[in-house]
Structures are given as structure tokens and as C-alpha cells.
């Protein structure tokens, strides 16, 4: 997934960044090649690490409990106003969800292009758990209202005709796109500038999707879930050479294709790397480097490359933008494609982060050219799954198919990236030297990666991390009773096993995406061995909990079915009764009347069947599921999500904490059966 240039690793467009004095310290740039000031200097730590050191061979120390690092980003200043519909809106009321702010003057020429780009991502708000707020600034209310109707704006728009809000935030341009995380910190800014570029709308939409971690635009030119799309054919006259470049003519050899801008210092940095790295390779093993300059200003490009000492490779131009469009190069430069001998895109790097991308590029070039691949792992710290994937292609491809690969994105959607307890199990090496610190400084370590299961540097650097192929100790660091109810190593391992998922490499991208979505569905985590006994059996020992439940909609769940004439609909009864079709539960052939105690969402719907818990009138602790010691998002959502799914209760997964608070109860200490102190 792309990273935004300001706080992450991605390229930006040629447009000027919008100065936001009170929010971000940003600079005008065309690509991200400068390491973040907060990121550790790890360039010296990247080396050929073919042999493990003695220290590396020792089992790693368990991670220490860590606290969230101090935020470096600026909080969004509080503001409020009346929307174009006359409703009062305070921006503080939206804290808890990610937020995209769209500042616009409807009278500016580029405003329609930007508004339409924002509109194309607005339909994803509910599914991806973010909100959009427009701020119409510097124009009359009637003009802004007409503009909103013409462009089908469905999100709230604050009337800022006096520009008071824009001035409070220090905006100096009539158009701005600002991203705010769930904690209220400004985390990105996207250039809201078209400038006559026919691809401007698509470029802005692409950058918004990247920054908000939404499904990317399918341009057909980026590897997805391990696929290698065919590189679009490209040809053109080579600068200062009496010859033409034709990509098709280079089948049979590796090609590196880089889109660049001759005035871009980050492009210069990237090209200087390739100049050195290619020279280090044997002549018969060097990939063919071709540059596509995006301005078409021949004389200026020629002079700039000479001045920079970069006139060592063939260059063609993209005068009309068609080549950028063909490759989906919308978010700026440098944008580099690694193309294999079959003419397929093996990897794509947007922007350039030297401490991560340089050693990866050396490994990829050698792999594509059939040369020995240098093992450039970090001697200290974690290398990231992309480094492993250069040599272990099959394993990396099957890993991409698992939920482990997108584990950090789950936290982003749920607004949990600031919770150390959550982050520690969704990234690589959190709390350890050289491990994940933030999505700004260490984006390569997002997700549950190779080194989570195989140790830092895998068997190369941590040969004793796993014994006899038993990964259970690594799994149970996170898959514990608090966070992963019903975890069983033997049955869960096949879900992430490379061998067990070998079939995915032969599936289409669409088929892989479908299977991955199915893996993410809530699962039945409650025990099934015991019989259901009904909620009345719980009342004598759990009087307070029973009283709270009786007042909840769950206790009257069957009534809504009767009102809708669906009391005999089996598909509905599964979620409106207790233990439908299971031993002791609501029978499949009943319409509700004979089983009144089970004709509702009872205690056992959330805590599991109580047949083993209530024996001869006495309670047996630990035979049902206590939820007071479980993670709300990880465990309780799995239980609730069986019925509160997208089809029946869209958005519930992002509201589960609030919903639980409405009916929270508990007077018995977990796992003991003893009253809670103070009850």
C-alpha cells in the first residue's frame, strides 16, 4: 500500500504543497527521498548477513511492555460552524473516527475536479470507517450550496464564507485536503491542484485512497496479492540517440523502468543509486534501465542530467501523459517498475526511501537478472517481509493471501493505531530493538510479517527461534485467551501455512481477494460441547446481570420477527433465538411459543451453552466464556459479529465498544465465580 510523502514514504505530485502553518511542517517536493527526522539511522546496519552472529543465534528476549511513543504530529485545532443545511457541527464530535477535511472555494477553477475526486471515495466511508467534512470557504452560502448540489456532495459541508476556519488553520490556498486520525492528529495532506492536467482527478483520488488506506485503483500495472501483471508496452525516441526504445524488444532480459522529473532531487537520488548499483553488477547480468521523463522539455532535461552526472541511461518522454496513465503513475515521481524477463511487473516502488529501498533494489535486480542474490538483511533490527520475499517468492505470495499481511490496516480502520496493546500484535518487532515504531518511521514492518513467526532475519539470523517446526510459542504470544478465543494451534496453522495455501498461487486476483474476504468473516468462537439450558437458569446466581439483560433489546429479539411476519424464518431465527438447532437450544421446527425462554438472544448467545456450568444447581467456573477479561475488539466482536454483520448491521464492527457499554454488566469476577469487590 502507498505511504503519503509528508509522513510516510510515497511520492507526491509536481504541484505545490499547501502551506498549513498551524498543522504541518511540509516542503515542496516531487518525491520522498529524505529520511524522516524521527526515523533511526539504519543505513549502516544494512549489510550482507549471510552468516548469523553468536548473538543472533540466541533466542530473542520477549518483548517488554511498551507505551505509545509521544505523538510528533500536530493536533487539529478545534472548530465548529453551521453546515449548508443549517445544522451545527463541531469537529470535536467526530473524534474517534478518521476524518478527511476538504476545504474548497467553489469559485476556483480546480474545485469541481477535486470535489469529484473526493466524491468517488465518499461511498467507502461506512465500510472503511472514516468521515468526510467539507468546508466551503471564501464564497457566498448560495454559491456553495449550488456547488454541493451540482457535485452530489453527500457529506456535511460547513459554511465558512468569512474564511474564519481557514484562517484559524493557517490555510493559504483555496483548496486543501487534510487527513486526521482517530485521535485528532493531522497525519497527511494531499495536493489539491489540477493545473490543466487531464489525469489530475484520478491522481488525487489515487492519493486519497493511498493515504486513507482504501482499496487502490486497479490500474492493472501493480502487483496485487503476489500477481505479476504484464507491463504495458511502451516505445519512443531516445533522447540524444538516433534510435528508439521498445519495451517488447527487451523480452528475455530484466528491465527497470523509472518515471522521473528532471528537477526532482529525490529522482536524482534514486538515479544516482542505480548508476552505482548497476555498475557493481557484471555487464552480462545488468538489467536494462530506461527512464521516462514526465515534462517533455528536451533541452532542460538534457542540461539537467548532464549537470547532475546522470546522463548515463536512455531517456524517453511522456509528453501527453499516456504512459503515466498506462502504468497508473498518478501520485508523483520517482515511480520505479522492476520488470522480469517475461515482461511482467515483479515489483513497484513509489517514492524512494534509501534505508529500505536501496538494499531491496540490489536484491531484486540480482534476482531478476539471474545473478547471485546478496542477502542484505539488517544485522541489527528487523528487515521486513519484502526483503524475505525477494528469495522466498512462493512463501511471500501465500503470506500476502493471509490476514496477517493486512493486520495493521485493521487497526487503522478501527482507530487503534495509538493503542500499544493492539499495535504489538499487528506489526513486527514492536518494543524490540530495530522493530516497528510507527507507520511514519518503519512502514516496512507493518503487519504480522515473516519475522514474527520465523524470528529476526529468519533462520539466517535466528536459527534457534523455532524448534522442530513448532511455531506454537510464537503464535500464542498474541493468540492468547484475552485476544483470540478458541485458538487451537493445530487447526489454525493451516490458515497461514505456506504449504496449505499453495493453491492460491494459481488463482486469479479476484479469486484471491474473494477468499481473503471470507477469511476475515467472524467465526463461531463459543464452545459447542455442552447443552443449552436457557437464561432462567442463570438468574439465581447472576441476578444483576440478568436484570440488565432483561431490559435490553436482546431479551425481546423474537418480537421484532413476529412484527415483521418472520417468526418462522429459519435464517432469521438463527440470530433472534438462543442456540438455534443445537442440543438443548431453540428447535428448528418451533415458531417461538413453546420455547419462550430460548426465543430471544439469551445469556448463552454470548457466553456459550451452560449445560456444563450448571450442574445439580451448583455453578462450575470456567465452563462458560467470561467476557470481562476479553478484548472487546478481538474477541467480543467475533461473537457479536456472527449476527451483527454487514448484511444485517453495517458498521457495527466500528461501533462495538459503544454498543457494549449500553448493556455492559458484570458482578462476578472472571474465572472465579466470586463477587466483584464492591458489588
Amino acid at each position: 500500500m502507498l505511504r503519503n510523502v509528508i509522513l510516510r514514504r510515497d511520492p507526491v505530485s509536481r504541484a505545490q504543497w499547501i502551506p498549513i502553518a498551524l498543522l504541518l511542517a511540509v516542503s515542496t517536493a516531487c518525491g520522498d527521498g529524505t529520511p524522516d527526522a524521527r526515523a533511526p539511522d539504519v543505513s549502516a546496519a544494512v549489510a550482507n548477513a549471510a552468516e548469523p552472529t553468536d548473538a543472533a543465534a540466541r533466542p530473542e528476549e520477549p518483548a517488554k511492555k511498551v507505551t505509545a511513543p509521544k505523538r510528533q504530529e500536530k493536533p487539529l485545532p478545534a472548530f465548529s460552524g453551521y453546515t449548508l443545511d443549517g445544522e451545527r457541527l463541531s469537529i470535536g464530535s467526530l473524534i474517534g473516527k478518521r476524518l478527511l477535511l476538504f476545504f474548497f472555494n467553489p469559485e476556483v477553477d480546480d474545485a469541481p475536479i477535486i470535489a469529484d475526486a473526493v466524491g468517488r471515495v465518499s461511498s467507502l466511508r461506512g465500510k472503511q470507517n472514516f468521515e468526510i467534512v467539507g468546508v466551503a470557504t471564501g464564497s457566498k452560502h448560495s454559491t456553495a450550496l449550488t456547488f454541493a448540489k451540482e457535485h452530489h456532495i453527500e457529506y456535511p459541508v460547513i459554511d465558512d464564507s468569512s474564511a474564519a476556519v481557514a484562517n484559524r488553520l493557517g490555510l493559504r490556498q483555496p483548496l486543501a485536503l487534510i487527513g486526521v486520525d482517530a485521535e485528532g492528529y493531522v497525519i497527511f495532506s494531499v495536493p489539491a491542484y489540477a493545473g490543466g492536467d487531464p489525469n489530475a482527478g484520478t491522481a488525487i483520488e489515487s492519493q486519497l485512497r493511498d493515504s486513507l488506506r482504501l482499496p487502490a485503483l486497479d490500474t492493472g500495472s501493480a502487483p496485487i496479492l503476489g500477481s505479476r501483471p504484464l507491463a504495458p508496452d511502451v516505445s519512443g525516441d531516445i533522447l540524444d540517440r538516433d534510435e528508439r526504445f521498445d519495451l517488447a524488444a527487451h523480452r528475455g532480459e530484466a528491465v527497470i523502468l523509472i518515471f522521473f522529473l528532471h528537477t526532482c532531487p529525490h529522482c536524482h537520488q534514486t538515479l544516482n543509486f542505480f548508476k552505482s548499483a548497476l555498475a557493481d553488477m557484471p555487464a552480462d547480468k545488468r538489467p536494462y534501465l530506461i527512464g521516462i521523463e514526465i515534462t517533455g522539455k528536451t533541452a532542460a532535461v538534457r542540461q539537467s542530467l548532464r549537470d547532475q552526472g546522470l546522463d548515463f541511461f536512455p531517456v524517453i518522454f511522456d509528453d501527453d501523459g499516456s504512459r503515466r496513465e498506462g502504468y497508473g503513475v498518478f501520485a508523483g515521481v520517482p515511480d520505479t517498475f522492476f520488470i522480469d524477463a517475461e515482461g511482467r511487473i515483479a515489483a513497484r516502488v513509489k517514492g524512494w526511501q534509501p534505508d529500505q529501498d536501496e538494499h531491496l533494489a540490489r536484491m531484486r535486480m540480482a534476482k531478476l537478472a539471474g545473478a547471485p542474490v546478496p542477502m542484505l538483511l539488517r544485522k541489527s533490527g528487523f528487515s521486513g517481509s519484502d526483503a524475505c520475499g525477494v528469495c522466498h517468492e512462493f512463501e511471500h505470495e501465500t503470506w500476502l493471501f493471509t490476514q496477517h499481511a493486512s493486520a495493521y490496516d485493521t487497526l487503522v480502520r478501527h482507530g487503534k493505531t495509538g493503542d500499544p496493546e493492539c499495535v504489538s500484535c499487528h506489526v513486527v518487532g514492536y518494543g524490540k530493538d530495530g522493530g516497528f515504531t510507527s507507520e511514519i518511521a518503519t512502514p516496512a514492518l507493518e503487519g504480522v510479517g515473516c519475522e514474527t513467526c520465523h524470528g529476526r532475519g529468519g533462520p539466517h539470523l535466528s536459527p534457534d527461534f523455532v524448534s522442530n517446526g513448532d511455531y506454537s510459542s510464537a503464535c500464542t504470544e498474541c493468540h492468547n485467551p484475552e485476544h483470540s478465543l478458541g485458538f487451537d494451534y493445530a487447526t489454525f496453522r493451516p490458515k497461514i501455512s505456506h504449504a496449505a495455501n499453495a493453491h492460491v498461487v494459481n488463482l486469479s486476483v479476484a479469486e484471491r481477494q474473494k477468499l481473503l474476504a471470507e477469511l476475515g468473516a467472524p467465526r463461531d468462537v463459543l464452545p459447542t460441547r455442552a447443552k443449552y439450558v436457557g437464561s432462567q437458569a442463570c438468574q439465581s446466581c447472576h441476578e444483576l446481570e440478568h436484570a440488565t439483560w432483561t431490559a435490553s433489546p436482546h431479551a425481546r429479539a423474537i418480537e421484532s420477527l413476529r412484527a415483521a411476519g418472520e417468526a418462522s424464518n429459519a435464517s432469521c431465527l438463527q440470530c433472534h433465538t438462543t442456540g438455534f438447532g443445537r442440543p438443548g437450544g431453540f428447535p428448528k421446527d418451533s415458531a417461538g411459543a413453546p420455547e419462550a425462554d430460548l426465543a430471544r438472544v439469551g445469556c448463552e448467545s454470548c457466553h456459550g451453552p451452560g449445560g456444563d456450568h450448571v450442574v445439580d444447581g451448583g455453578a462450575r467456573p470456567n465452563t462458560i466464556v467470561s467476557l470481562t477479561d476479553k478484548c472487546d475488539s478481538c474477541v467480543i466482536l467475533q461473537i457479536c459479529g456472527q449476527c451483527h454483520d454487514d448484511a444485517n448491521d453495517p458498521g457495527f464492527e466500528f461501533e462495538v465498544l459503544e454498543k457494549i457499554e449500553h448493556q455492559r454488566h458484570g458482578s462476578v469476577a472472571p474465572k472465579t465465580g466470586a463477587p466483584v469487590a464492591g458489588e
Side-chain angles (χ1 to χ4, degrees), residues 484-560:
S484 188
L485 190 64
F487 176 78
D488 177 70
Y489 174 72
T491 57
F492 273 58
R493 182 181 174 181
K495 296 181 180 180
I496 52 89
S497 164
H498 303 303
N501 288 309
H503 63 285
V504 304
V505 301
N506 297 316
L507 299 178
S508 68
V509 171
E511 290 171 326
R512 296 183 193 194
Q513 290 173 325
K514 180 180 178 181
L515 284 176
L516 191 57
E518 292 172 351
L519 287 176
R523 55 189 174 85
D524 190 351
V525 296
L526 294 174
T528 58
R529 185 185 65 180
K531 290 185 177 182
Y532 286 82
V533 296
S535 299
Q536 294 298 335
C538 307
Q539 185 175 9
S540 60
C541 294
H542 303 278
E543 185 176 356
L544 294 179
E545 292 94 332
H546 191 274
T548 300
W549 165 76
T550 301
S552 74
H554 280 167
R556 303 182 299 277
I558 198 71
E559 296 175 11
S560 60

Side-chain angles (χ1 to χ4, degrees), residues 458-471:
H460 306 291
L461 300 183
S462 302
D464 298 329
F465 187 80
V466 174
S467 177
N468 299 320
D470 182 4
Y471 296 90

